[in-house]
Amino acid sequence: MVISGFQKLTLVDYPEHIACLVFTQGCNLRCPFCHNKDLVCSMNNTNQIDEDVIFRYLDKRKGLIDGVCVSGGEPLLQKDIISFIKKIKEKGYKVKLDTNGTKPLVLKRLLDENLVDYVAMDVKNSFEGYDKVAGIENVCVDNIKLSIELLKDSKINYEFRTTVVKELHNFDNISKICKYLGKNVKYYLQNYRDCETVLVKGFHSFSKEEIIEIKNKLIKDYPNISIRGI
């Protein structure tokens, strides 16, 4: 495991749970609005955290925190991700995974072996516009679709989410995402927030009124759509 960040306490990343947050290094996408550029761009981080540090912390916090959020980067790129999560589960903790959905076979194994309790999957854009938003060419959208279906067919808690950026998204492609996901799934619009660590400068968020208008146009047909970040 290449771990480059560890937050010992989070009250917001795992819904209804007290958790810690592990950040893995490296990602196979280059979303220009990504705010974790130091995690995305290299697998060779000199500030790597040994996984034993995580496990020692978990041993000390039994009964005080509920779970571990495994985020990134893209955690499912890690060759040891299965064994790492198994060790967390063996210690009695719940696991929430953040993923971009590009590794459905690894996701399937985690689901089949009951190693994750909650998955938050990013859906970057409607499928015909995926490359532009993901920042690379020839994204395999079939893998994205398979990951979506794996979660919808699973018995765990999950959510889908899209970070919406003024220059990259509009009502039409958000509506297409909703149509593909269906009316019964949790779907969050996360309004982009500019920061110093963003991969590419110059993007803007929607105004509060604009993003609420988008949600209100969709909520009749997709009652589980919500907004974060306003």
Side-chain angles (χ1 to χ4, degrees):
M1 288 288 292
V2 184
I3 300 170
S4 295
F6 180 42
Q7 182 177 325
K8 293 183 176 180
L9 182 66
T10 173
L11 303 178
V12 297
D13 290 277
Y14 192 159
E16 300 179 0
H17 290 78
I18 301 170
C20 62
L21 183 56
V22 174
F23 295 96
T24 65
Q25 185 76 30
C27 187
N28 53 348
L29 303 183
R30 290 295 182 271
C31 306
F33 54 88
C34 178
H35 64 274
N36 280 335
K37 67 178 181 180
D38 290 339
L39 293 176
V40 165
C41 294
S42 174
M43 293 289 283
N44 299 312
N45 192 307
T46 56
N47 296 318
Q48 184 174 339
I49 299 168
D50 193 295
E51 62 183 58
D52 286 342
V53 172
I54 312 297
F55 296 135
R56 287 197 296 269
Y57 175 81
L58 294 178
D59 288 339
K60 294 177 181 178
R61 291 297 183 271
K62 286 183 178 179
L64 299 176
I65 64 173
D66 307 312
V68 180
C69 302
V70 183
S71 190
E74 172 47 52
L76 300 191
L77 295 177
Q78 299 289 326
K79 61 182 179 64
D80 298 326
I81 190 65
I82 302 293
S83 60
F84 179 71
I85 291 179
K86 276 184 179 179
K87 291 175 185 176
I88 295 172
K89 294 291 288 182
E90 287 168 358
K91 292 182 180 296
Y93 289 95
K94 292 181 179 294
V95 173
K96 183 232 180 187
L97 171 71
D98 293 338
T99 182
N100 62 25
T102 58
K103 295 294 180 180
L105 296 183
V106 185
L107 177 61
K108 184 177 188 303
R109 185 174 170 190
L110 289 169
L111 293 170
D112 288 346
E113 297 185 24
N114 299 312
L115 293 176
V116 286
D117 302 279
Y118 193 107
V119 174
M121 178 179 157
D122 293 310
V123 181
K124 303 295 182 180
N125 201 8
S126 53
F127 296 125
E128 67 271 19
Y130 230 84
D131 288 7
K132 180 180 179 181
V133 177
I136 63 171
E137 296 182 355
N138 302 315
V139 175
C140 182
V141 295
D142 287 341
N143 282 345
I144 308 295
K145 292 177 180 179
L146 179 54
S147 291
I148 290 171
E149 296 310 313
L150 286 170
L151 289 175
K152 290 173 68 174
D153 291 341
S154 74
K155 295 181 180 179
I156 69 164
N157 289 321
Y158 62 88
E159 67 180 57
F160 299 105
R161 59 196 187 184
T162 300
T163 298
V164 290
V165 183
K166 194 71 176 287
E167 290 81 2
L168 300 174
H169 299 94
N170 55 41
F171 175 81
D172 181 61
N173 45 48
I174 293 170
S175 177
K176 288 178 180 177
I177 296 170
C178 288
K179 185 176 181 179
Y180 187 86
L181 295 178
K183 67 182 298 181
N184 296 319
V185 302
K186 284 187 289 187
Y187 177 50
Y188 291 92
L189 303 179
Q190 299 185 156
N191 206 12
Y192 169 76
R193 288 185 177 180
D194 195 21
C195 64
E196 288 300 314
T197 58
V198 70
L199 198 60
V200 177
K201 299 285 188 179
F203 290 106
H204 299 86
S205 60
F206 285 83
S207 70
K208 180 178 179 179
E209 293 73 21
E210 288 170 331
I211 198 169
I212 289 175
E213 182 181 6
I214 290 171
K215 186 201 79 168
N216 288 343
K217 286 181 178 179
L218 292 166
I219 199 165
K220 180 178 179 181
D221 294 320
Y222 306 100
N224 292 315
I225 188 172
S226 301
I227 299 171
R228 288 185 178 132
I230 61 169

